[in-house]
Protein backbone atom coordinates (compact mmCIF):
# COMPACT_ATOMS: atom_id res chain seq x y z
CA UNK A 1 0.00 0.00 0.00
CA UNK A 2 1.23 3.47 -0.84
CA UNK A 3 1.73 6.20 1.75
CA UNK A 4 -1.11 8.75 1.64
CA UNK A 5 -1.65 12.14 3.23
CA UNK A 6 -5.22 13.40 3.11
CA UNK A 7 -5.86 17.05 3.87
CA UNK A 8 -8.92 18.47 5.58
CA UNK A 9 -10.14 21.99 4.80
CA UNK A 10 -8.74 23.24 8.11
CA UNK A 11 -5.25 22.13 7.00
CA UNK A 12 -5.71 24.02 3.72
CA UNK A 13 -6.74 27.20 5.54
CA UNK A 14 -3.76 26.93 7.89
CA UNK A 15 -1.43 26.42 4.93
CA UNK A 16 -2.88 29.43 3.14
CA UNK A 17 -2.37 31.60 6.21
CA UNK A 18 1.26 30.47 6.39
CA UNK A 19 1.79 31.26 2.71
CA UNK A 20 0.25 34.73 3.05
CA UNK A 21 2.34 35.47 6.15
CA UNK A 22 5.51 34.41 4.32
CA UNK A 23 4.60 36.56 1.31
CA UNK A 24 3.92 39.59 3.51
CA UNK A 25 7.13 39.12 5.52
CA UNK A 26 9.13 38.98 2.26
CA UNK A 27 7.60 42.34 1.21
CA UNK A 28 6.54 40.91 -2.15
CA UNK A 29 3.45 42.75 -3.36
CA UNK A 30 1.91 40.92 -6.30
CA UNK A 31 -0.43 42.88 -8.51
CA UNK A 32 -2.07 39.70 -9.81
CA UNK A 33 -2.40 36.11 -8.63
CA UNK A 34 -2.41 33.27 -11.18
CA UNK A 35 -3.59 29.81 -10.14
CA UNK A 36 -2.64 26.66 -12.01
CA UNK A 37 -5.72 24.57 -12.71
CA UNK A 38 -7.08 22.55 -10.98
CA UNK A 39 -5.84 22.68 -7.40
CA UNK A 40 -3.91 25.93 -7.66
CA UNK A 41 -7.05 27.83 -8.73
CA UNK A 42 -8.74 27.16 -5.41
CA UNK A 43 -5.70 28.31 -3.46
CA UNK A 44 -5.18 31.34 -5.74
CA UNK A 45 -8.78 32.44 -5.26
CA UNK A 46 -8.46 32.32 -1.48
CA UNK A 47 -5.07 34.06 -1.45
CA UNK A 48 -6.23 36.76 -3.85
CA UNK A 49 -9.14 37.49 -1.50
CA UNK A 50 -6.72 37.96 1.40
CA UNK A 51 -4.23 40.05 -0.62
CA UNK A 52 -7.03 41.93 -2.41
CA UNK A 53 -5.58 41.52 -5.90
CA UNK A 54 -7.11 40.16 -9.13
CA UNK A 55 -6.95 36.43 -9.82
CA UNK A 56 -6.74 34.48 -13.06
CA UNK A 57 -5.78 30.96 -14.08
CA UNK A 58 -3.53 28.90 -16.28
CA UNK A 59 -4.13 25.31 -17.27
CA UNK A 60 -1.23 22.99 -17.94
CA UNK A 61 -1.20 19.21 -18.33
CA UNK A 62 1.53 16.98 -17.03
CA UNK A 63 -0.04 14.68 -14.48
CA UNK A 64 -2.34 11.70 -14.36
CA UNK A 65 -3.35 10.29 -11.00
CA UNK A 66 -0.12 9.93 -9.03
CA UNK A 67 2.32 10.01 -11.95
CA UNK A 68 3.86 12.42 -14.42
CA UNK A 69 2.83 11.86 -18.02
CA UNK A 70 5.37 13.34 -20.41
CA UNK A 71 6.04 16.94 -21.33
CA UNK A 72 4.17 19.88 -19.81
CA UNK A 73 1.65 21.36 -22.24
CA UNK A 74 0.05 24.79 -21.76
CA UNK A 75 -3.66 24.46 -22.50
CA UNK A 76 -4.88 27.85 -21.28
CA UNK A 77 -3.02 31.12 -20.68
CA UNK A 78 -4.22 33.89 -18.35
CA UNK A 79 -6.89 36.14 -19.81
CA UNK A 80 -5.60 39.13 -17.82
CA UNK A 81 -2.88 41.24 -19.39
CA UNK A 82 0.09 40.56 -17.11
CA UNK A 83 2.58 42.71 -19.00
CA UNK A 84 4.59 44.69 -16.44
CA UNK A 85 2.88 43.03 -13.46
CA UNK A 86 4.34 41.37 -10.39
CA UNK A 87 2.74 37.93 -10.43
CA UNK A 88 2.20 35.38 -7.71
CA UNK A 89 1.90 31.98 -9.40
CA UNK A 90 0.17 29.35 -7.27
CA UNK A 91 -0.22 25.59 -7.50
CA UNK A 92 -1.22 23.02 -4.93
CA UNK A 93 2.00 20.98 -5.07
CA UNK A 94 5.49 21.06 -6.55
CA UNK A 95 5.99 17.38 -7.25
CA UNK A 96 8.52 17.44 -10.10
CA UNK A 97 8.56 21.23 -10.42
CA UNK A 98 8.04 21.01 -14.18
CA UNK A 99 4.56 22.55 -14.19
CA UNK A 100 5.68 25.53 -12.09
CA UNK A 101 8.80 26.11 -14.18
CA UNK A 102 6.86 25.96 -17.45
CA UNK A 103 4.12 28.29 -16.17
CA UNK A 104 6.66 30.73 -14.68
CA UNK A 105 8.63 30.86 -17.94
CA UNK A 106 5.42 31.45 -19.91
CA UNK A 107 4.39 34.32 -17.61
CA UNK A 108 7.77 35.97 -18.18
CA UNK A 109 7.33 35.43 -21.93
CA UNK A 110 3.97 37.21 -21.65
CA UNK A 111 5.69 40.23 -20.09
CA UNK A 112 5.44 39.74 -16.32
CA UNK A 113 7.92 42.00 -14.52
CA UNK A 114 8.44 39.52 -11.70
CA UNK A 115 7.04 36.06 -10.94
CA UNK A 116 7.19 34.35 -7.58
CA UNK A 117 5.77 30.92 -6.94
CA UNK A 118 3.80 29.51 -4.02
CA UNK A 119 2.54 26.01 -3.29
CA UNK A 120 0.87 24.32 -0.40
CA UNK A 121 3.19 21.31 -0.69
CA UNK A 122 6.81 21.12 -1.78
CA UNK A 123 8.15 17.60 -2.32
CA UNK A 124 11.86 18.08 -1.72
CA UNK A 125 12.85 14.59 -2.88
CA UNK A 126 11.30 14.80 -6.32
CA UNK A 127 10.96 18.47 -7.26
CA UNK A 128 13.65 20.00 -9.47
CA UNK A 129 12.27 23.43 -8.61
CA UNK A 130 12.10 25.04 -5.17
CA UNK A 131 9.08 27.36 -4.92
CA UNK A 132 9.58 30.82 -3.42
CA UNK A 133 6.92 30.04 -0.82
CA UNK A 134 5.56 26.75 0.47
CA UNK A 135 3.46 25.86 3.48
CA UNK A 136 4.56 22.25 3.91
CA UNK A 137 7.79 20.50 2.92
CA UNK A 138 7.80 16.75 2.35
CA UNK A 139 11.05 14.84 2.71
CA UNK A 140 9.47 11.48 1.89
CA UNK A 141 7.26 10.65 -1.05
CA UNK A 142 3.51 10.53 -0.38
CA UNK A 143 0.33 10.64 -2.42
CA UNK A 144 -1.36 13.84 -1.34
CA UNK A 145 -5.13 13.99 -1.48
CA UNK A 146 -6.67 17.46 -1.24
CA UNK A 147 -10.33 17.99 -0.29
CA UNK A 148 -11.18 18.89 -3.90
CA UNK A 149 -9.66 15.59 -5.13
CA UNK A 150 -11.62 13.12 -3.02
CA UNK A 151 -13.76 11.85 -5.90
CA UNK A 152 -10.78 11.61 -8.26
CA UNK A 153 -8.84 9.68 -5.61
CA UNK A 154 -11.78 7.38 -4.96
CA UNK A 155 -12.03 6.57 -8.68
CA UNK A 156 -8.31 5.78 -8.95
CA UNK A 157 -7.50 3.96 -5.72
CA UNK A 158 -7.75 0.21 -5.33
CA UNK A 159 -10.22 -0.96 -2.70
CA UNK A 160 -7.57 -1.61 -0.02
CA UNK A 161 -6.08 1.88 -0.37
CA UNK A 162 -9.52 3.49 -0.55
CA UNK A 163 -10.48 1.86 2.77
CA UNK A 164 -7.22 3.18 4.29
CA UNK A 165 -7.82 6.75 3.04
CA UNK A 166 -11.56 7.20 3.52
CA UNK A 167 -13.94 6.36 6.35
CA UNK A 168 -16.59 3.74 5.75
CA UNK A 169 -19.26 6.45 5.77
CA UNK A 170 -17.33 8.50 3.17
CA UNK A 171 -16.95 5.45 0.93
CA UNK A 172 -20.67 4.73 1.09
CA UNK A 173 -21.51 8.37 0.24
CA UNK A 174 -19.07 8.45 -2.69
CA UNK A 175 -20.44 5.17 -4.03
CA UNK A 176 -23.97 6.57 -3.84
CA UNK A 177 -23.05 9.89 -5.48
CA UNK A 178 -20.98 8.30 -8.23
CA UNK A 179 -23.34 5.40 -8.85
CA UNK A 180 -20.66 2.76 -8.20
CA UNK A 181 -22.45 0.85 -5.46
Amino acid sequence: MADYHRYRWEDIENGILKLVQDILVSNYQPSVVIGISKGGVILASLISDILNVPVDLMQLTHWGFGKAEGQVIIKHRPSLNINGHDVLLIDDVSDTGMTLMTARDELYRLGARNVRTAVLDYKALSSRYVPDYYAYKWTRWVYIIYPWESFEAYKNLNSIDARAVFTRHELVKMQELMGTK
Side-chain angles (χ1 to χ4, degrees):
M1 183 171 86
D3 194 7
Y4 295 96
H5 179 78
R6 184 169 172 221
Y7 279 111
R8 306 288 181 204
W9 280 107
E10 182 180 351
D11 304 319
I12 302 300
E13 291 169 356
N14 289 335
I16 287 171
L17 292 175
K18 182 190 181 312
L19 288 172
V20 170
Q21 288 171 345
D22 291 349
I23 293 162
L24 294 174
V25 166
S26 75
N27 290 317
Y28 187 59
Q29 297 179 350
S31 52
V32 65
V33 172
I34 304 290
I36 296 176
S37 178
K38 294 193 282 191
V41 172
I42 295 164
L43 302 173
S45 179
L46 296 169
I47 290 172
S48 77
D49 286 345
I50 296 169
L51 296 177
N52 197 30
V53 295
V55 65
D56 203 349
L57 68 90
M58 290 182 78
Q59 184 179 19
L60 298 91
T61 59
H62 178 57
W63 279 89
F65 183 75
K67 64 180 174 149
E69 296 180 343
Q71 186 176 1
V72 179
I73 298 167
I74 300 170
K75 294 181 82 174
H76 178 79
R77 288 166 177 78
S79 57
L80 292 175
N81 178 359
I82 60 160
N83 189 37
H85 284 273
D86 293 319
V87 177
L88 180 63
L89 176 64
I90 300 177
D91 205 356
D92 48 6
V93 62
S94 181
D95 217 320
T96 66
M98 297 302 297
T99 302
L100 278 172
M101 287 189 292
T102 301
R104 179 204 60 199
D105 293 348
E106 181 64 12
L107 293 172
Y108 276 124
R109 193 188 72 69
L110 293 171
R113 179 174 52 196
N114 192 10
V115 178
R116 292 202 188 166
T117 56
V119 296
L120 203 59
D121 293 290
Y122 163 52
K123 292 187 177 180
L125 289 179
S126 57
S127 184
R128 294 191 280 170
Y129 178 78
V130 179
D132 297 294
Y133 311 100
Y134 52 87
Y136 308 110
K137 179 179 179 179
W138 293 91
T139 56
R140 62 184 171 80
W141 206 90
V142 296
Y143 283 94
I144 298 171
I145 301 172
Y146 299 101
W148 51 88
E149 294 178 328
S150 292
F151 292 102
E152 177 185 8
Y154 169 75
K155 287 191 306 188
N156 287 285
L157 293 175
N158 64 49
S159 61
I160 293 169
D161 286 348
R163 285 193 300 271
V165 170
F166 300 105
T167 67
R168 182 170 169 72
H169 175 74
E170 289 170 329
L171 288 171
V172 168
K173 283 297 186 190
M174 282 190 259
Q175 290 169 347
E176 288 173 1
L177 289 169
M178 297 177 74
T180 58
K181 196 170 186 182

